[in-house]
Amino acid sequence: MNWRASASFRPAAVAAMISVHTGELKCGFVDGMGFGLGFGVVREPKGVTENLSVGSFGHGGAFGTQYWMDPTTGRFSIL
Protein backbone atom coordinates (compact mmCIF):
# COMPACT_ATOMS: atom_id res chain seq x y z
CA MET A 1 0.00 0.00 0.00
CA ASN A 2 1.31 3.43 -0.94
CA TRP A 3 1.12 5.61 2.21
CA ARG A 4 0.99 8.82 0.14
CA ALA A 5 -2.01 7.64 -1.82
CA SER A 6 -3.79 6.59 1.36
CA ALA A 7 -3.01 9.85 3.17
CA SER A 8 -4.10 12.30 0.47
CA PHE A 9 -7.48 13.60 -0.55
CA ARG A 10 -9.08 13.12 -3.91
CA PRO A 11 -9.21 16.27 -6.05
CA ALA A 12 -13.03 16.35 -5.85
CA ALA A 13 -12.86 16.30 -2.04
CA VAL A 14 -10.40 19.19 -1.99
CA ALA A 15 -12.56 21.15 -4.43
CA ALA A 16 -15.56 20.67 -2.12
CA MET A 17 -13.52 21.78 0.90
CA ILE A 18 -12.43 25.07 -0.66
CA SER A 19 -15.70 25.95 -2.41
CA VAL A 20 -18.05 28.46 -0.81
CA HIS A 21 -20.98 26.66 0.85
CA THR A 22 -22.47 29.69 2.60
CA GLY A 23 -23.77 31.47 -0.50
CA GLU A 24 -24.17 35.21 0.00
CA LEU A 25 -24.52 34.88 3.78
CA LYS A 26 -22.42 37.53 5.54
CA CYS A 27 -19.79 35.59 7.48
CA GLY A 28 -16.15 35.69 8.40
CA PHE A 29 -14.15 38.49 9.93
CA VAL A 30 -14.33 40.77 6.88
CA ASP A 31 -16.92 41.41 4.17
CA GLY A 32 -16.36 39.39 1.01
CA MET A 33 -15.72 36.10 2.79
CA GLY A 34 -17.57 32.80 2.63
CA PHE A 35 -16.92 29.42 4.17
CA GLY A 36 -16.12 26.05 2.67
CA LEU A 37 -15.71 22.87 4.68
CA GLY A 38 -13.30 24.02 7.38
CA PHE A 39 -11.84 27.01 5.51
CA GLY A 40 -12.64 30.66 5.02
CA VAL A 41 -12.83 31.40 1.29
CA VAL A 42 -12.30 34.80 -0.33
CA ARG A 43 -15.30 35.70 -2.51
CA GLU A 44 -14.29 39.35 -2.97
CA PRO A 45 -10.89 40.62 -1.77
CA LYS A 46 -11.44 43.49 0.72
CA GLY A 47 -9.62 44.89 3.72
CA VAL A 48 -7.14 42.38 5.11
CA THR A 49 -7.80 40.00 2.20
CA GLU A 50 -7.22 42.61 -0.55
CA ASN A 51 -3.86 41.08 -1.50
CA LEU A 52 -5.41 37.64 -1.98
CA SER A 53 -7.13 36.32 -5.11
CA VAL A 54 -10.74 35.24 -5.34
CA GLY A 55 -10.82 31.59 -4.22
CA SER A 56 -7.96 31.92 -1.73
CA PHE A 57 -8.65 29.94 1.42
CA GLY A 58 -7.40 29.73 4.96
CA HIS A 59 -8.23 29.74 8.64
CA GLY A 60 -7.53 31.85 11.70
CA GLY A 61 -6.68 30.64 15.18
CA ALA A 62 -7.78 31.74 18.63
CA PHE A 63 -4.63 33.78 19.33
CA GLY A 64 -4.48 35.72 16.06
CA THR A 65 -2.60 33.16 13.99
CA GLN A 66 -3.70 32.74 10.39
CA TYR A 67 -2.76 30.82 7.29
CA TRP A 68 -3.81 31.56 3.73
CA MET A 69 -3.30 29.72 0.46
CA ASP A 70 -3.75 31.48 -2.87
CA PRO A 71 -4.14 28.90 -5.65
CA THR A 72 -4.07 31.60 -8.35
CA THR A 73 -0.60 32.90 -7.46
CA GLY A 74 0.72 29.74 -5.79
CA ARG A 75 1.56 31.68 -2.61
CA PHE A 76 0.84 30.74 1.00
CA SER A 77 1.15 32.82 4.16
CA ILE A 78 1.43 31.89 7.80
CA LEU A 79 0.94 34.76 10.23
Side-chain angles (χ1 to χ4, degrees):
M1 176 193 229
N2 182 342
W3 68 269
R4 290 180 187 193
S6 65
S8 61
F9 293 100
R10 294 176 191 235
V14 174
M17 293 167 137
I18 61 174
S19 296
V20 175
H21 292 277
T22 53
E24 295 299 316
L25 181 68
K26 186 175 179 177
C27 56
F29 56 90
V30 59
D31 288 343
M33 294 290 297
F35 275 93
L37 304 176
F39 298 97
V41 181
V42 177
R43 288 190 325 230
E44 183 180 347
K46 292 182 177 182
V48 298
T49 64
E50 69 183 15
N51 291 323
L52 297 169
S53 305
V54 171
S56 295
F57 58 96
H59 197 329
F63 295 101
T65 57
Q66 296 182 37
Y67 69 88
W68 289 97
M69 289 163 257
D70 188 331
T72 301
T73 63
R75 292 184 297 173
F76 67 92
S77 303
I78 301 171
L79 309 170

